[in-house]
Amino acid sequence: MWRSALFLLICSIAVGDTRAEPTDAPTSQSIERYIRVGDLQRTYRLHVPPGLPATEKRSLVIVLHGGGGNAVGTERLTRFSELADRAGFIVVYPEGIRKNWNDGRDTTVSKAHRDRIGDVGFIAAMIDAIASDYPIDLKRIYATGISNGAIFSHYLAANLSARIAAIAPVVGGLADPFYKNFKPEQPVSVLILQGTRDPLVPFDGGDVAWGNRGKIISTAETVQAWVKHDGCIAPARSSTLPDKDATDSCTVRSSIWSDCRDGTGVTLYTLEGAGHTWPGGSQYLPERLVGKVCRDIDATEIIWDFFRTHPKR
């Protein structure tokens, strides 16, 4: 019995936890900040590249940890702070209540879901706080995340579509039952990266492992929800990317819808053979628990390339 309990604990950690990530510390410019939202004190980790001009408006990238994860681990996993220093944008890593986000799933497994924590309100307040201190380009506010953070990025964009220009969920689909009320006010550009052999958040939808963690709809249904909402007219352009690492058992197919409302676009990267991992990141837990890392692409670079070409109009 103890083995079963231990296995479930490990799998719980695996759904987006990055505490086992590389040991090199994030860069020193990242600072912890706090904000009061309602009755809760919320926390976020802010990274502002040194030497940014005081008056030049910059993009803001919100990076959301997975269930059981945290801001520091996600900063290490994604390496967004390193990229921000090179590309000149501001990046923030917010913290969920007890390491989870209320993402629209019907589950009581976490306090965030059980108490229906107002995480959308927290992110909105956080954006306001950062924009009061730094010159943020309000047409270039983006969100990405892994697992629970990915599922929440869909939920966030649907509920905050007037402010979020684009999202890039990694191994996390549109929540059930939230998808039944999926009615964003404005179009949002969307880049989805999903492994076909994800043992925790299934590519074809259904129960999120392990235990009563709620459900998501399939990757195809998630993509079509955004394609329909964004009013994409032309069929997708599909191609297979070069297999840069023949040892990772992964190939990548891209499907791109570009003729959408207000200059938005929807892109799906189908990671054939990949698991519940960050493409180009480390194997943070054994393959038998989370599946393989796809090394044919660098998710962080691809996400930023998508973001920088999809501002809000």
Side-chain angles (χ1 to χ4, degrees), residues 18 21 26 32 45 70-77 93 95:
T18 55
E21 281 311 300
E32 300 292 328
R45 185 173 180 85
N70 57 48
V72 171
T74 303
E75 184 175 21
R76 288 172 176 161
L77 171 68
Y93 309 87
E95 293 271 7

Side-chain angles (χ1 to χ4, degrees), residues 62 64 102-103 119-124 127 142-144 149-162 164 167 178 188 226:
I62 303 164
L64 301 157
N102 177 15
D103 58 12
D119 285 322
V120 172
F122 163 44
I123 299 300
I127 292 170
Y142 308 108
T144 182
I151 301 170
F152 178 54
S153 71
H154 286 291
Y155 187 80
L156 176 68
N159 285 284
L160 210 61
S161 62
I164 303 296
I167 59 170
F178 171 68
V188 177
W226 282 110

Side-chain angles (χ1 to χ4, degrees), residues 3-305:
R3 290 181 180 177
S4 175
L6 178 61
F7 183 68
L8 290 176
L9 174 61
I10 291 172
C11 290
S12 172
I13 292 171
V15 182
D17 191 359
T18 55
R19 286 175 288 183
E21 281 311 300
T23 56
D24 52 303
T27 50
S28 59
Q29 289 82 15
S30 301
I31 55 175
E32 300 292 328
R33 288 198 162 190
Y34 305 91
I35 185 173
R36 196 78 183 175
V37 182
D39 295 331
L40 296 172
Q41 178 172 278
R42 305 302 301 264
T43 307
Y44 58 93
R45 185 173 180 85
L46 182 66
H47 183 89
V48 180
L52 287 185
T55 58
E56 187 173 335
K57 292 184 178 181
R58 298 289 172 164
S59 301
L60 176 64
V61 176
I62 303 164
V63 185
L64 301 157
H65 64 72
N70 57 48
V72 171
T74 303
E75 184 175 21
R76 288 172 176 161
L77 171 68
T78 63
R79 308 180 312 282
F80 260 110
S81 294
E82 298 171 25
L83 179 56
D85 286 346
R86 299 196 304 272
F89 59 88
I90 295 172
V91 58
V92 60
Y93 309 87
E95 293 271 7
I97 294 296
R98 296 186 186 175
K99 303 184 177 182
N100 280 274
W101 302 105
N102 177 15
D103 58 12
R105 282 178 286 164
D106 184 13
T107 175
T108 58
V109 74
S110 77
K111 180 177 176 61
H113 293 95
R114 189 168 54 250
D115 292 356
R116 302 183 184 274
I117 296 296
D119 285 322
V120 172
F122 163 44
I123 299 300
M126 181 190 73
I127 292 170
D128 290 341
I130 297 171
S132 69
D133 293 333
Y134 299 95
I136 300 299
D137 186 342
L138 298 182
K139 293 185 179 296
R140 295 180 179 270
I141 298 175
Y142 308 108
T144 182
I146 184 171
S147 191
N148 176 211
I151 301 170
F152 178 54
S153 71
H154 286 291
Y155 187 80
L156 176 68
N159 285 284
L160 210 61
S161 62
R163 305 190 71 177
I164 303 296
I167 59 170
V170 179
V171 296
L174 196 56
D176 182 356
F178 171 68
Y179 81 94
K180 298 173 184 176
N181 299 309
F182 178 77
K183 295 179 181 178
E185 293 179 4
Q186 296 185 16
V188 177
S189 293
V190 179
L191 167 63
I192 293 172
L193 299 94
Q194 183 68 47
T196 61
R197 300 194 67 179
D198 187 331
L200 303 179
V201 178
F203 185 88
D204 292 326
D207 293 328
V208 175
W210 299 79
N212 181 26
R213 296 184 177 275
K215 299 176 182 288
I216 59 164
I217 64 175
S218 73
T219 304
E221 290 172 309
T222 297
V223 169
Q224 286 305 311
W226 282 110
V227 166
K228 180 179 179 180
H229 170 71
D230 286 347
C232 304
I233 300 172
R237 304 190 315 274
S238 297
S239 62
T240 300
L241 277 60
D243 189 4
K244 294 183 178 180
D245 188 335
T247 68
D248 66 354
S249 302
C250 175
T251 56
V252 182
R253 288 187 293 109
S254 69
S255 302
I256 300 172
W257 292 262
S258 56
D259 189 10
C260 310
R261 282 193 297 149
D262 297 345
T264 57
V266 178
T267 297
L268 168 65
Y269 276 63
T270 301
L271 311 174
E272 296 281 357
H276 195 75
T277 51
W278 187 270
S282 66
Q283 186 71 51
Y284 62 91
L285 282 172
E287 290 179 10
R288 69 181 184 277
L289 295 178
V290 296
K292 291 187 175 183
V293 176
C294 186
R295 304 201 176 281
D296 294 331
I297 60 172
D298 183 326
T300 303
E301 294 280 356
I302 284 175
I303 289 168
W304 171 242
D305 284 345

